[in-house]
């Protein structure tokens, strides 16, 4: 016959059994007090067995709290007689006068034994020996170590509650009176410790509420802190009647709303049973959810049903903040079209912000003017400047709010960028971003001050400032999910300018994996990044493949001041593909826009710099000279203007075959200091290729590699891993080998290393000879082993 396993008992219980074994003739009078499921019955059996083994008579009574008064008085008399062992187990509730008297008599002999929950180690011993650590932790966390519940979970094979486990709690819940069931539902809703809400729910005074809580504690379903054990919370939610659960949550939420407290956690589950009677609760919960979870706020407002204009505006705002601009525009348009004078301005502002993200800046500006708010007026100024017109009237005083103050600073900063000092403009926009950071994701913006600051910084050759503003915006969640993509794309743009193409590509890859369509303003930057990466990698197939997207992007997004960076990148790509005519109308629109603003240097210089690159790529010397002249006209407008003008002059000299290594190196280092590492390296590399002075060529090639972030040398030759005596590759040959294995053509390799395609061909021929390869396939196979 198999010996049953010993029960898992706590230290105090083991000590009690040892005491009985050490004093077999002693009379034991003991009360065992604990909520349900804590092992009272198990201990009672063990004590009864231990006393019986010693030949002692024992009266063992379980669940004494269920006995009548006469039975309890009889037990008390037996205890007070003192000539026989009496062990009584009972719950702390219900507690009649007779049970209290019995407990008092037992307590005069020795304190009641209070079984403790199992520790994690004891839970491990209570489970099958093969149970893994993760499952032990799960069972202990779910049950709080209550032995009855540990036993119910002992058959689990993975850390997940099964329907059978949850169903095993039905008996624990069904026998409870209605008030105790209400309390458990309130505890499941998170209100177990809210006496004010419980009094309202249970309809009684503090003493009555305390009695109900004591009754619930006696079930063993509550943790020591008064909240439901995790497994019990799951069971209460799953096994309680849906209508009763909804009624309890609604009552709690209404009490909380009357008290002015948060209701979101109470209301969220009510989304499964919406109705007009819950509209006030849904509105209050949506206001709570909006800053951190606008999508949830939109769902709550949608559950109201037929909305009032006020609710429709709130719903449009939440939808826009969640990135659902279609819904935002549809809801806002209905309010505007309905002619509701009270809410039409707010609806127009939401629609204006949505259209700004859609690239419709002119229409956005018009809608902002429908709103009487000073914030909307500030945004209208930003939009008006963006489409090439200076505001005729000054801004009204900013309201004393974070958003109002930040919007006013944004408008002043953008205006300063076209009429005043770029340094002042940048400082103003950075201050606007800092002012709005505490608001985080809780504001709806047509553009963020951090994004505008980054654009001004990039147009000023201040990538460090741009990166800092964007990093802070990302850390604070400024503008929420609607602005998050824009901030990431601008950070990737900085990386691309510095030649960190891999980091820029990672951003594009991550956005593609998100599988979420980009709004036109974000899409034009994303496509421009792909174009820029392909062009810098001399990746002509990708450039050709992406060019059609670029042409579509500029069609979907009319030219405005804030998209000059992608437009300039598209100009260089168009020249590379000999397709300039498709972009010409958009470049002409950009020039018209600049003229409307008085041709401000901060915005004009980068566009002319991109035009110079396009002319160089297309070998159109007259066009290059025109752009260089335009840059020279702005030379005295600031440090960056002087750097770019100097670089333009160097390019013209290089194209003419006049290479002054000192001048080229100064110009290239200036570009590098302005964050344009790839442009700097390209200028030095092309100058090296075009000079006939061997010493100057070596110097400029070293300069190009240094500015590109590549080592000047020092890498040891690498032994082929074929085991054959096939010679070694020089540093330059290894560089060529890596790029050839990567699939680049000789022309692309030459562009990357600032050497001619013919030189690359000579390197490959030498490598083939040195490795003894008789075919290209054999060569590539050996090179893959060498360079990994």
């Amino acid at each position: 016959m198999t010996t049953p396993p010993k029960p898992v008992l706590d230290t105090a219980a083991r000590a009690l059994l040892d005491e009985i074994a050490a004093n077999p003739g002693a009379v034991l009078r003991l009360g065992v007090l604990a909520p349900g499921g804590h092992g009272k019955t198990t201990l009672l059996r063990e004590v009864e067995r231990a006393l019986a083994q010693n030949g002692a008579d024992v009266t063992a009574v379980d669940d004494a709290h269920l006995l009548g008064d006469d039975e309890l008085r009889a037990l008390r008399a037996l205890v007070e007689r003192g000539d026989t062992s009496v062990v009584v187990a009972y719950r702390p509730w219900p507690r009649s006068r007779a049970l209290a008297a019995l407990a008092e008599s037992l307590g005069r002999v020795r304190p009641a034994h209070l079984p403790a929950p199992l520790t994690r180690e004891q839970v491990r011993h209570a489970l099958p020996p093969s149970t893994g650590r993760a499952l032990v932790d799960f069972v202990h966390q779910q049950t709080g170590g209550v032995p009855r519940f540990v036993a119910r979970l002992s058959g689990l094979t993975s850390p997940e509650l099964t329907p059978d486990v949850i169903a095993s709690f039905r008996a624990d819940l069904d026998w409870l009176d209605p008030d105790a069931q209400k309390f458990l539902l309130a505890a499941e809703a998170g209100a177990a410790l809210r006496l004010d809400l419980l009094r309202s729910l249970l309809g009684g005074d503090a003493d009555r509420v305390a009695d109900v809580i004591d009754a619930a504690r006696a079930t063993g379903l509550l943790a020591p802190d008064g909240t439901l054990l995790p497994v019990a919370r799951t069971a209460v939610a799953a096994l309680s009647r849906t209508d009763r659960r909804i009624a309890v949550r609604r009552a709690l939420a209404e009490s909380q709303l009357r008290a002015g407290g948060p209701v979101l956690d109470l209301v969220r589950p009510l989304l499964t049973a919406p109705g007009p009677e819950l509209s006030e609760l849904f509105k209050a919960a949506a206001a709570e959810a909006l800053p951190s979870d606008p999508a949830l706020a939109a769902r709550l407002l949608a559950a109201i049903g037929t909305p009032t204009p006020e609710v429709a505006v709130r719903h449009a705002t939440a939808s826009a903040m969640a990135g659902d601009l279609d819904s935002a525009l549809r809801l806002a348009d209905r309010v505007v079209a309905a002619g509701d004078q009270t809410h039409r301005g707010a609806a127009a502002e939401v629609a204006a912000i949505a259209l700004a993200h859609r690239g419709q800046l002119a229409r956005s500006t018009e809608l902002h003017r429908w709103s009487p708010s000073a914030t909307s007026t500030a945004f209208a100024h930003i939009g008006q400047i963006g489409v090439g017109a200076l505001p005729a009237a000054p801004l009204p005083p900013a309201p004393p709010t974070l958003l109002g103050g930040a919007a006013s600073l944004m408008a002043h900063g953008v205006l300063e960028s076209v009429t005043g000092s770029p340094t002042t403009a940048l400082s103003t926009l950075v201050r606007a971003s800092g002012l709005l950071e505490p608001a985080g994701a809780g504001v709806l913006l047509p553009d963020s001050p951090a994004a505008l600051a980054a654009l001004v910084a990039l147009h000023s050759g201040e990538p460090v400032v741009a990166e800092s503003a964007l990093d802070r915006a990302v850390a604070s969640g400024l503008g929420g999910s609607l602005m998050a993509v824009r901030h990431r794309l601008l950070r990737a743009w900085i990386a691309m300018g510095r030649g960190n193409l891999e980091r820029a590509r990672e951003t594009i890859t991550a956005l593609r994996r998100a599988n979420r369509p980009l709004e036109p303003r974000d899409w034009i930057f994303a496509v421009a990044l792909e174009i820029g990466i392909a062009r810098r990698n001399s990746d002509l197939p990708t450039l050709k493949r992406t060019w059609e997207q670029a042409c579509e992007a500029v069609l979907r997004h009319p030219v405005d001041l804030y998209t000059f960076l992608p437009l300039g990148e598209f100009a260089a790509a168009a020249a590379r593909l000999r397709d300039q005519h498709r972009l010409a109308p958009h470049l002409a629109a950009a020039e018209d826009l600049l003229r409307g603003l008085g041709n401000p240097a901060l915005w004009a210089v980068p566009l002319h710099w991109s035009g110079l690159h396009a002319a160089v790529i297309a070998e159109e010397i007259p066009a290059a000279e025109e752009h260089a002249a335009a840059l020279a006209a702005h030379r005295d407008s600031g440090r960056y203007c002087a750097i770019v003008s100097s670089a333009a002059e160097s390019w013209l000299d290089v194209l003419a075959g006049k290479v002054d290594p000192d001048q080229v190196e100064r110009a290239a280092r200036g570009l590098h200091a302005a964050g344009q590492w790839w442009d700097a390296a390209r200028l030095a590399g092309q100058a090296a290729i075009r000079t006939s002075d061997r010493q100057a060529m070596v110097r400029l090639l070293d300069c190009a590699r240094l500015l590109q972030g590549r080592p000047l040398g020092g890498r040891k030759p690498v032994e082929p891993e074929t085991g054959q005596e096939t010679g070694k590759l020089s540093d330059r040959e290894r560089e060529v080998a890596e790029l050839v294995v990567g699939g680049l053509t000789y022309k692309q390799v030459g562009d990357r290393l600032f050497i001619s395609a013919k030189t690359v061909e000579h390197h490959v021929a030498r490598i083939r000879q040195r490795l003894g390869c008789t075919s290209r396939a054999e060569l590539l196979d050996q090179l893959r082993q060498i360079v990994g």
Side-chain angles (χ1 to χ4, degrees), residues 215-475:
R217 281 185 177 276
T219 65
L221 298 170
L222 301 186
D225 64 358
T227 62
L228 280 172
L229 294 168
V231 67
R233 182 170 185 171
T234 302
V236 169
L239 301 177
S240 300
R241 278 174 36 188
T242 301
D243 59 337
R244 185 174 297 171
R245 186 172 178 230
I246 291 173
V248 167
R249 280 188 174 267
R250 180 183 171 185
L252 291 171
E254 288 174 343
S255 297
Q256 183 79 319
L257 185 61
R258 286 193 297 270
V263 298
L264 178 59
D265 289 340
L266 294 169
V267 173
R268 191 194 314 256
L270 300 181
L271 277 169
T272 58
E277 68 278 3
L278 299 175
S279 59
E280 291 302 316
L281 290 175
F282 284 152
K283 284 164 62 176
E288 282 181 53
L290 187 63
S292 58
D293 192 348
L296 174 60
R299 287 175 56 209
L300 287 162
L301 293 167
I304 291 175
T306 304
T308 63
E310 177 197 4
V311 171
V313 171
R314 289 191 185 188
H315 191 184
T317 301
S319 298
M321 290 176 65
D324 183 5
L325 298 188
D326 287 340
S327 295
L329 286 166
R330 184 172 58 252
L331 289 161
D333 189 66
R334 288 176 185 168
V335 177
V336 173
D340 183 279
Q341 296 299 318
T342 305
H343 300 98
R344 186 173 65 172
E349 185 170 4
V350 175
I353 290 172
L355 287 173
H357 288 270
R358 288 275 161 95
Q360 302 294 327
L361 204 53
R363 178 61 180 153
S364 170
T365 301
E366 290 299 319
L367 278 169
H368 271 305
R369 290 174 178 150
W370 279 44
S371 173
S373 75
T375 300
S376 206
T377 302
F379 290 152
H381 278 222
I382 295 170
Q384 186 175 349
I385 294 169
V387 296
L390 293 173
L395 280 174
T401 63
L402 292 178
L403 179 58
S408 179
L409 285 174
M410 289 166 65
H412 283 296
V414 171
L415 182 61
E416 187 70 22
S417 76
V418 297
T419 62
S421 163
T423 302
T424 304
L426 184 54
S427 173
T428 304
L429 290 168
V430 168
R431 284 190 290 119
S433 185
L435 180 63
L436 204 52
E437 281 172 9
V443 288
L444 178 61
L445 299 168
D447 207 348
S448 80
L452 291 174
L455 288 175
V456 170
L458 288 170
H459 282 73
S460 305
E462 298 285 357
V464 175
V465 178
E467 192 168 38
S468 174
L470 292 169
D471 286 346
R472 290 175 63 92
V474 170

Side-chain angles (χ1 to χ4, degrees), residues 472-528:
R472 290 175 63 92
V474 170
S476 67
L478 183 60
S481 61
L482 196 57
M483 292 304 311
V485 172
R486 183 155 172 78
H487 293 152
R488 291 171 63 190
L489 288 169
L490 287 170
R491 287 206 298 180
W493 198 279
I494 296 169
M496 184 176 71
R498 289 173 171 168
N500 191 345
L501 305 184
E502 188 58 36
R503 180 179 173 187
R505 186 185 290 108
E506 287 171 1
T507 299
I508 300 299
T509 303
L511 291 175
R512 193 178 291 123
R513 285 175 180 165
N515 200 27
R516 178 177 174 178
L518 298 181
E519 296 301 334
R521 186 174 64 185
D522 292 332
W523 190 50
I524 196 171
F525 271 87
V527 173

Side-chain angles (χ1 to χ4, degrees), residues 717-730 734 767 770-773 781-788:
V718 178
E719 288 283 357
E721 298 178 7
T722 60
Q724 302 174 3
E725 191 62 28
T726 53
K728 302 175 180 178
L729 301 184
S730 68
R734 183 181 176 87
I767 294 170
R770 184 171 298 172
L771 297 179
C773 300
D781 183 59
Q782 289 207 34
L783 290 181
R784 288 190 187 99
Q785 297 182 54
I786 293 172
V787 303

